[in-house]
């Protein structure tokens, strides 16, 4: 597990370009995916989505 619960990360799109930030909520060890809370631009409520580990990097302000 690379990231910790509650940590803010940057999500990379399928072309590995920054797509936004998210907060780590859970890790699925068998599939190497993280459950994250991500806010889509058109929605105020965060959505829980699953992202492969290789498409997450540490957030830097």
């Amino acid at each position: 597990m690379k990231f910790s619960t509650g940590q803010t990360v940057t999500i990379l799109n399928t072309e590995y370009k920054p797509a936004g930030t998210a907060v780590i909520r859970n890790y699925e060890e068998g599939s190497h995916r993280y459950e994250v809370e991500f806010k889509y631009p058109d929605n105020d409520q965060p959505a829980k989505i699953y992202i492969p580990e290789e498409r997450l990097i540490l957030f830097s302000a």
Side-chain angles (χ1 to χ4, degrees), residues 1-60:
M1 186 166 136
K2 273 178 147 173
F3 306 105
S4 303
T5 302
Q7 188 173 18
T8 301
V9 294
T10 299
I11 293 178
L12 303 175
N13 66 18
T14 55
E15 297 174 342
Y16 292 89
K17 295 180 181 177
T21 60
V23 177
I24 300 292
R25 291 297 170 220
N26 195 15
Y27 178 66
E28 291 184 347
E29 193 169 330
S31 63
H32 303 285
R33 296 186 316 166
Y34 284 88
E35 177 185 10
V36 300
E37 285 186 356
F38 177 72
K39 277 191 180 180
Y40 288 96
D42 60 343
N43 195 342
D44 289 338
Q45 295 296 323
K48 289 186 180 178
I49 60 174
Y50 292 87
I51 300 289
E53 186 172 32
E54 65 270 9
R55 287 186 39 212
L56 297 173
I57 59 172
L58 285 177
F59 173 74
S60 61

